[in-house]
Amino acid sequence: MNLTTAVYRDSLNTAIVKNLITVGLSVSIIYVNSSLVHTFTKHEVFNTNPRYILYIHLVINDILLLIMFTLLQVLSYIIFTLHVPFCIILLLISIICSLNNPLTLAVMAVECYVAICFPLQHSQICTVKNVTVVITVIWVLSSLTILPDLFTILATESRDFFHSRVFCLRETVFRLPELEKKRTMSNIVFLVIVWLTLVYTYFRILFTAQAAAANAKKARNTVLLHGFQLLLCMLTYVYDLLLNGFTKLFPKGVLTIRYTISVFVHVLPRLVSPLVYGIRDKAFRRYLRRYLFYSPKANINK
């Protein structure tokens, strides 16, 4: 049995060019992010700091998202359809990681808020142990959002469906209308909570005491960057809306539209995470530069 959506296929040359662009962008970003992770693991000043632990968690999520997106796109061009169980595994990883990102941004904003507004309690509240617990809770919450969908299709879909092949999209696997409504509601709840957290922490930092003006300004800018990252994360939720809207305007360009929107929604937002700490943070930047442009003569302990 073969279940596919009405998806057109590019010519061979076009497919090669598109995949080269996607793979090139993704590999470049993954390389930079992997250098961030390597820098983090090699230096105790980072891997014992709760703020950097949260940041690296965000970076790892970005790496996983890029790997999943690139793998799905390349496979869709090479073999077009995938076996349903394999598609489900790829989708579950992608969905959980995409849900992790806004929650991690909210927690990072709270950490900035505690550091500025409660500096004396910061070391007691923001410990490595507490951050590890929070990261575990993030993964549990994200998993609990999508696992009911998995159990639903296991209970309602026929055995033939799980032996079939599909063009691997969320709507071709989790295809019950009720699941789409549930996804919309859960996305709204997640985003409202995260946005309220970011707005609250930003304005509390904004009105903090003048004695901490310098640190408060940096914290405000960081929270604003988290807000910008969240806006980029939200592009995932309007992907279908953008695709349908532009396809109606330019019906002959559906393949180009699908590809362009996919790159803007799934790849380019992953560029932001390295900028937040990889470039803005002086300590991280100093070590990262030596790993990105490695020289045998470089003295990392310098």
Side-chain angles (χ1 to χ4, degrees), residues 135-151:
I135 290 174
T136 302
V137 171
I138 288 173
W139 277 88
V140 170
L141 287 175
S142 298
S143 300
L144 289 177
T145 302
I146 186 59
L147 286 181
D149 295 22
L150 175 62
F151 297 145

PDB file of all heavy atoms in Angstrom, residues 135-151:
ATOM      1  N   ILE A 135      15.808  20.899  32.669  1.00  0.00           N
ATOM      2  CA  ILE A 135      15.963  20.369  31.311  1.00  0.00           C
ATOM      3  C   ILE A 135      15.209  19.044  31.169  1.00  0.00           C
ATOM      4  O   ILE A 135      14.559  18.782  30.142  1.00  0.00           O
ATOM      5  CB  ILE A 135      17.449  20.203  30.961  1.00  0.00           C
ATOM      6  CG1 ILE A 135      18.112  21.580  30.808  1.00  0.00           C
ATOM      7  CG2 ILE A 135      17.626  19.381  29.681  1.00  0.00           C
ATOM      8  CD1 ILE A 135      19.600  21.534  30.597  1.00  0.00           C
ATOM      9  N   THR A 136      15.272  18.213  32.199  1.00  0.00           N
ATOM     10  CA  THR A 136      14.525  16.946  32.185  1.00  0.00           C
ATOM     11  C   THR A 136      13.022  17.210  32.092  1.00  0.00           C
ATOM     12  O   THR A 136      12.308  16.550  31.326  1.00  0.00           O
ATOM     13  CB  THR A 136      14.832  16.135  33.462  1.00  0.00           C
ATOM     14  OG1 THR A 136      16.239  15.895  33.551  1.00  0.00           O
ATOM     15  CG2 THR A 136      14.096  14.800  33.433  1.00  0.00           C
ATOM     16  N   VAL A 137      12.549  18.195  32.861  1.00  0.00           N
ATOM     17  CA  VAL A 137      11.123  18.553  32.833  1.00  0.00           C
ATOM     18  C   VAL A 137      10.724  19.057  31.434  1.00  0.00           C
ATOM     19  O   VAL A 137       9.639  18.733  30.931  1.00  0.00           O
ATOM     20  CB  VAL A 137      10.808  19.617  33.900  1.00  0.00           C
ATOM     21  CG1 VAL A 137       9.390  20.163  33.724  1.00  0.00           C
ATOM     22  CG2 VAL A 137      10.976  19.038  35.293  1.00  0.00           C
ATOM     23  N   ILE A 138      11.605  19.832  30.807  1.00  0.00           N
ATOM     24  CA  ILE A 138      11.330  20.327  29.447  1.00  0.00           C
ATOM     25  C   ILE A 138      11.126  19.161  28.486  1.00  0.00           C
ATOM     26  O   ILE A 138      10.172  19.143  27.695  1.00  0.00           O
ATOM     27  CB  ILE A 138      12.477  21.239  28.964  1.00  0.00           C
ATOM     28  CG1 ILE A 138      12.443  22.576  29.711  1.00  0.00           C
ATOM     29  CG2 ILE A 138      12.380  21.478  27.455  1.00  0.00           C
ATOM     30  CD1 ILE A 138      13.636  23.467  29.418  1.00  0.00           C
ATOM     31  N   TRP A 139      12.015  18.174  28.548  1.00  0.00           N
ATOM     32  CA  TRP A 139      11.897  17.013  27.659  1.00  0.00           C
ATOM     33  C   TRP A 139      10.629  16.218  27.955  1.00  0.00           C
ATOM     34  O   TRP A 139       9.966  15.730  27.032  1.00  0.00           O
ATOM     35  CB  TRP A 139      13.128  16.115  27.785  1.00  0.00           C
ATOM     36  CG  TRP A 139      14.271  16.592  26.951  1.00  0.00           C
ATOM     37  CD1 TRP A 139      15.239  17.492  27.318  1.00  0.00           C
ATOM     38  CD2 TRP A 139      14.565  16.224  25.601  1.00  0.00           C
ATOM     39  NE1 TRP A 139      16.111  17.704  26.273  1.00  0.00           N
ATOM     40  CE2 TRP A 139      15.739  16.940  25.212  1.00  0.00           C
ATOM     41  CE3 TRP A 139      13.967  15.362  24.691  1.00  0.00           C
ATOM     42  CZ2 TRP A 139      16.297  16.808  23.941  1.00  0.00           C
ATOM     43  CZ3 TRP A 139      14.522  15.227  23.421  1.00  0.00           C
ATOM     44  CH2 TRP A 139      15.676  15.948  23.064  1.00  0.00           C
ATOM     45  N   VAL A 140      10.282  16.094  29.236  1.00  0.00           N
ATOM     46  CA  VAL A 140       9.069  15.354  29.613  1.00  0.00           C
ATOM     47  C   VAL A 140       7.830  16.074  29.086  1.00  0.00           C
ATOM     48  O   VAL A 140       6.930  15.457  28.491  1.00  0.00           O
ATOM     49  CB  VAL A 140       8.987  15.178  31.137  1.00  0.00           C
ATOM     50  CG1 VAL A 140       7.622  14.639  31.549  1.00  0.00           C
ATOM     51  CG2 VAL A 140      10.085  14.242  31.630  1.00  0.00           C
ATOM     52  N   LEU A 141       7.771  17.405  29.271  1.00  0.00           N
ATOM     53  CA  LEU A 141       6.616  18.178  28.804  1.00  0.00           C
ATOM     54  C   LEU A 141       6.468  18.093  27.286  1.00  0.00           C
ATOM     55  O   LEU A 141       5.365  17.901  26.761  1.00  0.00           O
ATOM     56  CB  LEU A 141       6.750  19.637  29.233  1.00  0.00           C
ATOM     57  CG  LEU A 141       6.527  19.951  30.711  1.00  0.00           C
ATOM     58  CD1 LEU A 141       6.810  21.421  30.990  1.00  0.00           C
ATOM     59  CD2 LEU A 141       5.096  19.608  31.116  1.00  0.00           C
ATOM     60  N   SER A 142       7.588  18.240  26.587  1.00  0.00           N
ATOM     61  CA  SER A 142       7.533  18.170  25.124  1.00  0.00           C
ATOM     62  C   SER A 142       7.105  16.780  24.650  1.00  0.00           C
ATOM     63  O   SER A 142       6.323  16.655  23.701  1.00  0.00           O
ATOM     64  CB  SER A 142       8.897  18.526  24.530  1.00  0.00           C
ATOM     65  OG  SER A 142       9.264  19.845  24.863  1.00  0.00           O
ATOM     66  N   SER A 143       7.602  15.750  25.327  1.00  0.00           N
ATOM     67  CA  SER A 143       7.239  14.374  24.951  1.00  0.00           C
ATOM     68  C   SER A 143       5.766  14.097  25.230  1.00  0.00           C
ATOM     69  O   SER A 143       5.081  13.459  24.425  1.00  0.00           O
ATOM     70  CB  SER A 143       8.110  13.373  25.724  1.00  0.00           C
ATOM     71  OG  SER A 143       9.476  13.564  25.433  1.00  0.00           O
ATOM     72  N   LEU A 144       5.270  14.599  26.367  1.00  0.00           N
ATOM     73  CA  LEU A 144       3.872  14.369  26.723  1.00  0.00           C
ATOM     74  C   LEU A 144       2.918  15.074  25.765  1.00  0.00           C
ATOM     75  O   LEU A 144       1.742  14.714  25.674  1.00  0.00           O
ATOM     76  CB  LEU A 144       3.610  14.836  28.155  1.00  0.00           C
ATOM     77  CG  LEU A 144       4.229  13.985  29.270  1.00  0.00           C
ATOM     78  CD1 LEU A 144       3.958  14.606  30.630  1.00  0.00           C
ATOM     79  CD2 LEU A 144       3.707  12.553  29.219  1.00  0.00           C
ATOM     80  N   THR A 145       3.429  16.082  25.045  1.00  0.00           N
ATOM     81  CA  THR A 145       2.590  16.788  24.078  1.00  0.00           C
ATOM     82  C   THR A 145       2.340  15.962  22.823  1.00  0.00           C
ATOM     83  O   THR A 145       1.249  16.014  22.246  1.00  0.00           O
ATOM     84  CB  THR A 145       3.256  18.126  23.693  1.00  0.00           C
ATOM     85  OG1 THR A 145       3.454  18.908  24.871  1.00  0.00           O
ATOM     86  CG2 THR A 145       2.383  18.914  22.726  1.00  0.00           C
ATOM     87  N   ILE A 146       3.322  15.184  22.404  1.00  0.00           N
ATOM     88  CA  ILE A 146       3.199  14.445  21.147  1.00  0.00           C
ATOM     89  C   ILE A 146       2.915  12.955  21.358  1.00  0.00           C
ATOM     90  O   ILE A 146       2.304  12.315  20.485  1.00  0.00           O
ATOM     91  CB  ILE A 146       4.486  14.616  20.281  1.00  0.00           C
ATOM     92  CG1 ILE A 146       4.326  13.979  18.897  1.00  0.00           C
ATOM     93  CG2 ILE A 146       5.704  14.057  21.006  1.00  0.00           C
ATOM     94  CD1 ILE A 146       3.201  14.538  18.079  1.00  0.00           C
ATOM     95  N   LEU A 147       3.304  12.380  22.491  1.00  0.00           N
ATOM     96  CA  LEU A 147       3.096  10.942  22.703  1.00  0.00           C
ATOM     97  C   LEU A 147       1.617  10.531  22.650  1.00  0.00           C
ATOM     98  O   LEU A 147       1.304   9.450  22.126  1.00  0.00           O
ATOM     99  CB  LEU A 147       3.726  10.505  24.033  1.00  0.00           C
ATOM    100  CG  LEU A 147       5.256  10.423  24.029  1.00  0.00           C
ATOM    101  CD1 LEU A 147       5.772   9.966  25.382  1.00  0.00           C
ATOM    102  CD2 LEU A 147       5.763   9.487  22.931  1.00  0.00           C
ATOM    103  N   PRO A 148       0.684  11.348  23.171  1.00  0.00           N
ATOM    104  CA  PRO A 148      -0.736  10.970  23.013  1.00  0.00           C
ATOM    105  C   PRO A 148      -1.152  10.825  21.546  1.00  0.00           C
ATOM    106  O   PRO A 148      -1.981   9.962  21.217  1.00  0.00           O
ATOM    107  CB  PRO A 148      -1.483  12.140  23.682  1.00  0.00           C
ATOM    108  CG  PRO A 148      -0.522  12.651  24.697  1.00  0.00           C
ATOM    109  CD  PRO A 148       0.822  12.518  24.058  1.00  0.00           C
ATOM    110  N   ASP A 149      -0.556  11.647  20.664  1.00  0.00           N
ATOM    111  CA  ASP A 149      -0.840  11.514  19.234  1.00  0.00           C
ATOM    112  C   ASP A 149      -0.359  10.160  18.714  1.00  0.00           C
ATOM    113  O   ASP A 149      -1.043   9.517  17.908  1.00  0.00           O
ATOM    114  CB  ASP A 149      -0.145  12.630  18.450  1.00  0.00           C
ATOM    115  CG  ASP A 149      -0.688  14.010  18.785  1.00  0.00           C
ATOM    116  OD1 ASP A 149      -1.277  14.166  19.862  1.00  0.00           O
ATOM    117  OD2 ASP A 149      -0.525  14.920  17.972  1.00  0.00           O
ATOM    118  N   LEU A 150       0.817   9.748  19.185  1.00  0.00           N
ATOM    119  CA  LEU A 150       1.362   8.453  18.773  1.00  0.00           C
ATOM    120  C   LEU A 150       0.463   7.316  19.242  1.00  0.00           C
ATOM    121  O   LEU A 150       0.135   6.400  18.472  1.00  0.00           O
ATOM    122  CB  LEU A 150       2.774   8.278  19.338  1.00  0.00           C
ATOM    123  CG  LEU A 150       3.442   6.920  19.098  1.00  0.00           C
ATOM    124  CD1 LEU A 150       3.607   6.663  17.604  1.00  0.00           C
ATOM    125  CD2 LEU A 150       4.790   6.861  19.807  1.00  0.00           C
ATOM    126  N   PHE A 151       0.045   7.368  20.515  1.00  0.00           N
ATOM    127  CA  PHE A 151      -0.831   6.316  21.040  1.00  0.00           C
ATOM    128  C   PHE A 151      -2.167   6.291  20.302  1.00  0.00           C
ATOM    129  O   PHE A 151      -2.751   5.224  20.092  1.00  0.00           O
ATOM    130  CB  PHE A 151      -1.058   6.526  22.541  1.00  0.00           C
ATOM    131  CG  PHE A 151       0.203   6.417  23.360  1.00  0.00           C
ATOM    132  CD1 PHE A 151       0.401   7.218  24.475  1.00  0.00           C
ATOM    133  CD2 PHE A 151       1.197   5.517  23.014  1.00  0.00           C
ATOM    134  CE1 PHE A 151       1.560   7.127  25.226  1.00  0.00           C
ATOM    135  CE2 PHE A 151       2.364   5.411  23.761  1.00  0.00           C
ATOM    136  CZ  PHE A 151       2.547   6.219  24.867  1.00  0.00           C
TER     137      PHE A 151
END
